[in-house]
């Protein structure tokens, strides 16, 4: 019976890990820009994942993200500054 428990726990852990978003971490040589990109990433994860899975930054072009953010700004209740930070993060790669 013990083996089953281990297998079930193992499956559960694997499941948890596979749900983790593999969003890239930004890296910029400029410290203040790095700070802003990280803030944008945090805002993106906290504001944009409540209704649907996060879309990968590479799914849309710069222009595409501008349009998507325009559509989602109201839904996510973000202000213009937050929108800009999210946009900068999404298009920095
Ligand atoms: C209150 C719920 C809600 C929040 C918060 C939200 N979205 Fe959405 N999002 C939706 C719904 C519903 C759709 C699908 C319908 C649509 O495209 O209008 C969608 C679709 C999308 C799509 C795909 C559109 C397409 O054409 O397939 C993208 C990209 C997106 N959201 C990005 C974002 C971003 C970025 C944020 C954060 C700023 C965000 N969403 C926050 C509800 C939300």
């Amino acid at each position: 019976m013990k083996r089953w428990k281990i297998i079930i726990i193992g499956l559960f852990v694997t499941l948890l890990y596979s749900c983790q978003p593999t969003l890239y971490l930004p890296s910029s040589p400029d410290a203040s820009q790095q700070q802003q990109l990280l803030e944008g990433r945090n805002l993106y994860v906290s504001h944009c994942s409540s209704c649907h899975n996060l879309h990968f930054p590479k799914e849309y072009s710069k222009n595409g993200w501008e349009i998507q953010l325009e559509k989602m700004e109201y839904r996510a209740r973000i202000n213009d500054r937050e929108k800009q930070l999210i946009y900068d993060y999404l298009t920095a790669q």
Side-chain angles (χ1 to χ4, degrees), residues 44 47-52 55 60 65 68-69 71-73 75-76 78 86 90:
Y44 181 50
H47 285 87
C48 306
S49 62
S50 51
C51 302
H52 48 67
H55 292 259
Y60 295 95
W65 274 119
Q68 297 304 333
L69 281 168
K71 284 205 297 188
M72 292 297 145
E73 182 177 16
R75 284 190 168 133
I78 48 174
I86 294 173
L90 288 170

Side-chain angles (χ1 to χ4, degrees), residues 5-89:
K5 271 191 192 162
I6 291 168
I7 289 171
I8 288 171
I9 290 170
L11 279 177
F12 194 66
V13 170
T14 319
L15 197 77
L16 270 182
Y17 268 97
S18 59
C19 292
Q20 293 268 319
T22 48
L23 270 184
Y24 83 101
L25 276 169
S27 73
S28 166
D30 179 344
S32 75
Q33 198 197 6
Q34 171 70 5
Q35 190 60 38
Q36 288 195 348
L37 289 174
L38 277 177
E39 198 183 338
R41 185 182 188 274
N42 288 341
L43 286 167
Y44 181 50
V45 173
S46 58
H47 285 87
C48 306
S49 62
S50 51
C51 302
H52 48 67
N53 288 332
L54 289 173
H55 292 259
F56 284 105
K58 284 183 172 164
E59 279 179 50
Y60 295 95
S61 62
K62 286 193 175 198
N63 205 354
W65 274 119
E66 208 176 313
I67 296 165
Q68 297 304 333
L69 281 168
E70 208 59 58
K71 284 205 297 188
M72 292 297 145
E73 182 177 16
Y74 172 73
R75 284 190 168 133
R77 298 202 201 98
I78 48 174
N79 59 34
D80 282 347
R81 180 181 167 270
E82 291 166 333
K83 186 173 87 168
Q84 186 62 45
L85 285 167
I86 294 173
Y87 174 81
D88 288 343
Y89 163 71

